[in-house]
Amino acid sequence: MTTHYYTASSLDGFIATTDHSLDWLLKQDIDQEGPMSYGGFEAGIGALAMGASTFEWVLRNEAGSAWPYSQPIWVFTHRELPIPEGADVRFVQGDVASAHREMTTAAGAKDIWIVGGGDLVGQFADADLLDEVWVQYAPVTLGTGQPLLPRVLDLELLDVARNRNFLCGRYRLQKD
């Protein structure tokens, strides 16, 4: 079982604008069945963790659609948020280690995905619970926004690919 951070980033290292928008990303050209694509990655995922801002973005952008995840999701938040119909959402606070233990059990033989939220991913890395970072670099700069990962980490490049306009990299964390 591996805990992944799978995300897209602008070339200057931001995953979202300052107001948490992904409009810049959604207009980019990517092959959904191509190398390091979302569909292939997501098929191996058994549990997800999200921050509240990411969860709220999904709620806003999936409004009127079926909930996009069949896996259980742990949402780290101090706010009361709605639960979409048919979704297995668990709201948690505090230390990521106890949630990670629950996620590991729920994921079974599959992996865990930390979705969005560079700070949340950083907390998993700080607790030595993050194994891999997958980044799809889009051909755009934002100048400012939500950082890719606001931590100092040493990474080893495992794989690289081009998916239309995206430069895709998969890294393993170097652990002490």
Side-chain angles (χ1 to χ4, degrees):
M1 197 272 311
T2 302
T3 301
H4 305 275
Y5 177 35
Y6 179 94
T7 192
S9 175
S10 64
L11 288 178
D12 54 350
F14 298 105
I15 60 172
T17 63
T18 53
D19 62 349
H20 301 279
S21 173
L22 295 178
D23 291 342
W24 62 273
L25 174 62
L26 300 177
K27 64 183 180 183
Q28 301 299 319
D29 184 27
I30 192 164
D31 179 355
Q32 294 300 332
E33 303 302 319
M36 294 193 194
S37 65
Y38 170 79
F41 172 80
E42 196 262 343
I45 299 301
L48 297 84
M50 288 183 187
S53 294
T54 301
F55 182 72
E56 289 176 313
W57 186 91
V58 173
L59 287 175
R60 279 191 311 274
N61 289 280
E62 297 295 330
S65 306
W67 181 246
Y69 304 106
S70 60
Q71 306 93 331
I73 299 173
W74 279 254
V75 177
F76 289 78
T77 186
H78 295 282
R79 301 190 298 267
E80 196 168 305
L81 299 168
I83 298 177
E85 186 176 326
D88 183 354
V89 176
R90 303 151 194 216
F91 297 114
V92 294
Q93 299 177 21
D95 181 46
V96 298
S98 59
H100 189 267
R101 283 189 294 276
E102 293 174 21
M103 293 168 65
T104 299
T105 300
K110 293 190 171 189
D111 293 342
I112 294 172
W113 176 20
I114 314 303
V115 184
D119 184 61
L120 180 61
V121 174
Q123 292 176 49
F124 278 86
D126 292 347
D128 200 27
L129 297 171
L130 181 64
D131 301 305
E132 291 188 358
V133 175
W134 296 47
V135 184
Q136 321 315 315
Y137 292 99
V140 63
T141 59
L142 300 178
T144 188
Q146 306 302 316
L148 172 65
L149 216 163
R151 297 291 193 277
V152 175
L153 299 175
D154 289 323
L155 305 168
E156 172 191 1
L157 181 63
L158 297 176
D159 197 7
V160 65
R162 178 181 180 177
N163 185 322
R164 294 193 182 152
N165 284 344
F166 285 79
L167 175 62
C168 309
R170 182 175 148 234
Y171 305 85
R172 175 177 34 228
L173 267 72
Q174 296 296 300
K175 300 185 181 189
D176 298 330

